[in-house]
Short mmCIF file of all heavy atoms in Angstrom, two decimals:
data_model
loop_
_atom_site.label_atom_id
_atom_site.label_comp_id
_atom_site.label_asym_id
_atom_site.label_seq_id
_atom_site.Cartn_x
_atom_site.Cartn_y
_atom_site.Cartn_z
N ILE W 89 -37.25 -6.70 7.67
CA ILE W 89 -38.54 -6.02 7.77
C ILE W 89 -38.35 -4.58 7.32
O ILE W 89 -37.45 -3.89 7.78
CB ILE W 89 -39.09 -6.09 9.21
CG1 ILE W 89 -39.32 -7.56 9.56
CG2 ILE W 89 -40.35 -5.27 9.34
CD1 ILE W 89 -39.93 -7.80 10.92
N CYS W 90 -39.21 -4.18 6.40
CA CYS W 90 -39.03 -2.85 5.81
C CYS W 90 -39.60 -1.76 6.71
O CYS W 90 -40.70 -1.88 7.22
CB CYS W 90 -39.70 -2.81 4.44
SG CYS W 90 -39.56 -1.16 3.72
N LEU W 91 -38.82 -0.75 6.90
CA LEU W 91 -39.30 0.42 7.65
C LEU W 91 -39.20 1.67 6.79
O LEU W 91 -39.02 2.77 7.30
CB LEU W 91 -38.51 0.59 8.96
CG LEU W 91 -38.89 -0.34 10.11
CD1 LEU W 91 -38.31 0.18 11.41
CD2 LEU W 91 -40.39 -0.47 10.26
N GLY W 92 -39.29 1.49 5.50
CA GLY W 92 -39.36 2.64 4.61
C GLY W 92 -40.64 3.41 4.91
O GLY W 92 -41.51 2.92 5.64
N THR W 93 -40.77 4.58 4.33
CA THR W 93 -41.90 5.44 4.70
C THR W 93 -43.24 4.72 4.57
O THR W 93 -44.04 4.68 5.51
CB THR W 93 -41.93 6.69 3.81
OG1 THR W 93 -40.60 7.13 3.64
CG2 THR W 93 -42.76 7.79 4.43
N ALA W 94 -43.46 4.10 3.40
CA ALA W 94 -44.75 3.46 3.15
C ALA W 94 -45.00 2.36 4.17
O ALA W 94 -46.06 2.27 4.77
CB ALA W 94 -44.78 2.89 1.73
N CYS W 95 -43.99 1.53 4.38
CA CYS W 95 -44.16 0.41 5.29
C CYS W 95 -44.30 0.88 6.72
O CYS W 95 -45.03 0.31 7.52
CB CYS W 95 -42.98 -0.55 5.17
SG CYS W 95 -42.94 -1.34 3.56
N HIS W 96 -43.58 1.93 7.03
CA HIS W 96 -43.62 2.46 8.38
C HIS W 96 -45.05 2.88 8.72
O HIS W 96 -45.60 2.47 9.75
CB HIS W 96 -42.66 3.64 8.50
CG HIS W 96 -42.35 4.01 9.91
ND1 HIS W 96 -43.19 4.80 10.65
CD2 HIS W 96 -41.32 3.68 10.72
CE1 HIS W 96 -42.68 4.96 11.86
NE2 HIS W 96 -41.54 4.29 11.93
N VAL W 129 -34.75 -2.75 7.23
CA VAL W 129 -34.25 -2.17 5.99
C VAL W 129 -35.12 -0.99 5.60
O VAL W 129 -36.24 -0.83 6.10
CB VAL W 129 -34.21 -3.19 4.84
CG1 VAL W 129 -33.12 -4.20 5.06
CG2 VAL W 129 -35.57 -3.88 4.68
N ALA W 130 -34.61 -0.18 4.71
CA ALA W 130 -35.38 0.97 4.26
C ALA W 130 -35.78 0.76 2.81
O ALA W 130 -34.93 0.69 1.94
CB ALA W 130 -34.55 2.24 4.40
N CYS W 131 -37.05 0.65 2.57
CA CYS W 131 -37.66 0.49 1.25
C CYS W 131 -37.03 -0.59 0.38
O CYS W 131 -35.91 -0.47 -0.07
CB CYS W 131 -37.69 1.79 0.47
SG CYS W 131 -38.80 1.65 -0.94
N VAL W 132 -37.77 -1.64 0.19
CA VAL W 132 -37.28 -2.70 -0.68
C VAL W 132 -37.91 -2.61 -2.08
O VAL W 132 -37.79 -3.51 -2.88
CB VAL W 132 -37.55 -4.10 -0.07
CG1 VAL W 132 -36.69 -4.27 1.16
CG2 VAL W 132 -39.02 -4.31 0.27
N GLY W 133 -38.62 -1.51 -2.31
CA GLY W 133 -39.13 -1.27 -3.65
C GLY W 133 -40.50 -1.87 -3.92
O GLY W 133 -40.89 -2.03 -5.07
N CYS W 134 -41.25 -2.26 -2.91
CA CYS W 134 -42.60 -2.78 -3.11
C CYS W 134 -43.58 -2.00 -2.27
O CYS W 134 -44.42 -2.58 -1.56
CB CYS W 134 -42.68 -4.25 -2.70
SG CYS W 134 -41.31 -5.23 -3.23
N CYS W 135 -43.49 -0.70 -2.34
CA CYS W 135 -44.30 0.13 -1.45
C CYS W 135 -45.78 -0.17 -1.55
O CYS W 135 -46.52 -0.03 -0.58
CB CYS W 135 -44.04 1.60 -1.72
SG CYS W 135 -42.30 2.00 -1.70
N ALA W 136 -46.22 -0.59 -2.73
CA ALA W 136 -47.64 -0.86 -2.92
C ALA W 136 -48.08 -2.01 -2.04
O ALA W 136 -49.25 -2.14 -1.71
CB ALA W 136 -47.91 -1.17 -4.38
N LEU W 137 -47.15 -2.86 -1.67
CA LEU W 137 -47.48 -4.04 -0.87
C LEU W 137 -47.20 -3.84 0.62
O LEU W 137 -47.13 -4.77 1.39
CB LEU W 137 -46.67 -5.25 -1.36
CG LEU W 137 -46.95 -5.70 -2.80
CD1 LEU W 137 -46.01 -6.83 -3.18
CD2 LEU W 137 -48.39 -6.13 -2.95
N ALA W 138 -47.02 -2.57 1.02
CA ALA W 138 -46.60 -2.30 2.38
C ALA W 138 -47.59 -2.87 3.40
O ALA W 138 -48.80 -2.88 3.12
CB ALA W 138 -46.48 -0.78 2.59
N PRO W 139 -47.13 -3.31 4.58
CA PRO W 139 -45.73 -3.43 4.96
C PRO W 139 -45.07 -4.69 4.37
O PRO W 139 -45.68 -5.75 4.38
CB PRO W 139 -45.79 -3.53 6.48
CG PRO W 139 -47.14 -4.09 6.78
CD PRO W 139 -48.04 -3.71 5.64
N ALA W 140 -43.84 -4.51 3.91
CA ALA W 140 -43.17 -5.60 3.22
C ALA W 140 -42.13 -6.28 4.12
O ALA W 140 -41.52 -5.64 4.96
CB ALA W 140 -42.48 -5.08 1.97
S1 LIG O 7 -41.25 1.52 2.13
FE1 LIG O 7 -41.25 -0.60 2.47
S2 LIG O 7 -41.06 -1.28 0.42
FE2 LIG O 7 -40.97 0.89 0.09
#
Side-chain angles (χ1 to χ4, degrees):
Chain W
I89 298 183
C90 177
L91 282 195
T93 320
C95 294
H96 196 278
V129 289
C131 194
V132 292
C134 317
C135 309
L137 297 176

